[in-house]
């Protein structure tokens, strides 16, 4: 992933109440560690858990109409604002678009989605013919990856 590409941490899915709060679909573990989003256009004042996501208040949004106007807005930060990764850790944004190859180096496809249904991350890979399959992001299925390529263990590619 390019270091200057914005990283989406949440998306506004609607208004909450009449005072300008918004409902969020959150893609980060802790959104509250960040205060400025979208190049400083939005300043987070507070965030709390809500049904199916979170409820947030931004300094620049003071009523329901302004909150509704933001529906669909992605909340982004720069890559440099993300905390450093530990050994074996990754950001979903870094996996998207990677080339998937077999252990022998044969092309398999491209990572198009990273999902988590509760038991860990699952990669969706699109083959050149447009068909897709899923692989768990575990060592036995994905023995290695780097900035350009993700290796799928033999027997996991359909």
């Amino acid at each position: 992933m390019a270091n200057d590409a914005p990283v989406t941490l949440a998306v506004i899915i609607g208004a909450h109440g009449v005072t300008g709060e918004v409902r969020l679909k959150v893609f980060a573990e802790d959104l509250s560690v960040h205060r400025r989003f979208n190049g400083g256009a939005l300043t987070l004042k507070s965030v709390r858990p809500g049904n199916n996501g979170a409820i947030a208040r931004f300094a620049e949004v003071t009523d329901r109409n302004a909150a509704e106007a933001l529906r669909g807005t992605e909340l982004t930060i720069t890559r440099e604002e993300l905390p450093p990764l530990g050994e074996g850790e990754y950001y979903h944004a870094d996996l998207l678009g990677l080339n998937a190859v077999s252990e022998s180096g044969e092309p398999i496809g491209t990572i198009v989605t990273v999902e988590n249904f509760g038991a860990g991350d699952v990669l969706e890979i699109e083959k050149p013919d447009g068909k897709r399959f899923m692989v768990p992001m575990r060592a036995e299925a994905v023995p290695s990856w780097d900035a350009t390529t993700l290796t799928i263990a033999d027997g996991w590619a359909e």
Side-chain angles (χ1 to χ4, degrees), residues 2 7 23 33 89 127 139 154-155:
V7 177
R23 293 181 296 118
V33 298
E89 294 181 327
K127 294 180 175 184
D154 292 338

Side-chain angles (χ1 to χ4, degrees), residues 59-77:
E60 299 79 7
V61 184
T62 58
D63 62 38
R64 184 174 182 88
N65 290 339
E68 278 295 339
L70 291 175
R71 182 188 301 263
T73 299
E74 294 180 353
L75 301 178
T76 62
I77 61 171

Side-chain angles (χ1 to χ4, degrees), residues 49-143:
N51 291 340
N52 301 319
I55 307 296
R57 180 177 302 280
F58 292 97
E60 299 79 7
V61 184
T62 58
D63 62 38
R64 184 174 182 88
N65 290 339
E68 278 295 339
L70 291 175
R71 182 188 301 263
T73 299
E74 294 180 353
L75 301 178
T76 62
I77 61 171
T78 64
R79 175 60 190 242
E80 291 77 31
E81 294 174 276
L82 293 171
L85 293 167
E87 181 67 30
E89 294 181 327
Y90 54 89
Y91 288 116
H92 289 187
D94 292 340
L95 299 178
L96 297 173
L98 287 183
N99 294 316
V101 298
S102 68
E103 289 181 291
S104 62
E106 294 295 316
I108 295 174
T110 304
I111 311 303
V112 293
T113 306
V114 180
E115 298 284 355
N116 189 315
F117 302 107
D121 290 338
V122 178
L123 308 175
E124 186 171 10
I125 301 166
E126 185 173 317
K127 294 180 175 184
D129 65 5
K131 292 184 180 180
R132 295 181 177 195
F133 67 98
M134 297 180 115
V135 174
M137 186 61 175
R138 296 193 318 246
E140 63 268 20
V142 180

